[in-house]
Amino acid sequence: EVERRVAQFAGVGPVWVTRAPIFARKAELFPGAAFVLGWDTAIRVIDPKYYGGESGRDAALRAMRDLDCRVVVGGRVDAAGAFRVWDGAGLADEFGELFVALTEEDFRLDVSSTQLRARL
């Protein structure tokens, strides 16, 4: 399954597959990387429960920023059917440069990656 999913990027650019559980760890493995996520995943990336609280989350986000990584966030339709775009999610201003929001005009595709793979 992993090989099949990665094959779709053949000729486009490099793809790395990792078991790193959080993006702060992925940033350590790939400094300078841009991680492209949907709004729903970005919300989970900043959830303090994955870091033992807000101070742990903030330390992880600082580490990602200091490793010159970026998190590019595309909008997604939420469970209520509303299209959601990244608005900073109440994070401190110090993390503003870490996250790059794509506007609805930049990117809107109301289909999940699972649906796209099913079409193939």
Side-chain angles (χ1 to χ4, degrees):
E1 178 63 18
V2 171
E3 289 175 354
R4 188 180 68 77
R5 287 185 183 196
V6 169
Q8 68 185 318
F9 299 104
V12 176
V15 176
W16 296 278
V17 178
T18 175
R19 291 184 181 176
I22 59 173
F23 278 88
R25 178 66 183 120
K26 295 174 196 303
E28 291 172 6
L29 295 170
F30 309 109
F35 302 103
V36 182
L37 313 173
W39 173 87
D40 53 332
T41 302
I43 291 300
R44 290 192 304 274
V45 167
I46 65 163
D47 191 331
K49 75 179 182 183
Y50 297 111
Y51 306 93
E54 288 186 13
S55 62
R57 179 211 48 209
D58 291 353
L61 295 179
R62 282 185 199 102
M64 290 175 65
R65 181 197 61 207
D66 293 347
L67 288 165
D68 200 30
C69 290
R70 296 291 175 267
V71 179
V72 179
V73 185
R76 285 283 172 92
V77 175
D78 68 13
F83 190 78
R84 304 290 303 267
V85 294
W86 184 256
D87 62 2
L91 289 174
D93 290 341
E94 71 177 292
F95 302 120
E97 291 182 18
L98 176 61
F99 292 89
V100 178
L102 297 178
T103 67
E104 188 171 359
E105 293 77 31
D106 291 332
F107 172 83
R108 179 163 183 178
L109 183 60
D110 293 345
V111 62
S112 72
S113 58
T114 300
Q115 291 170 319
L116 289 173
R117 286 189 298 274
R119 288 181 188 170
L120 294 174

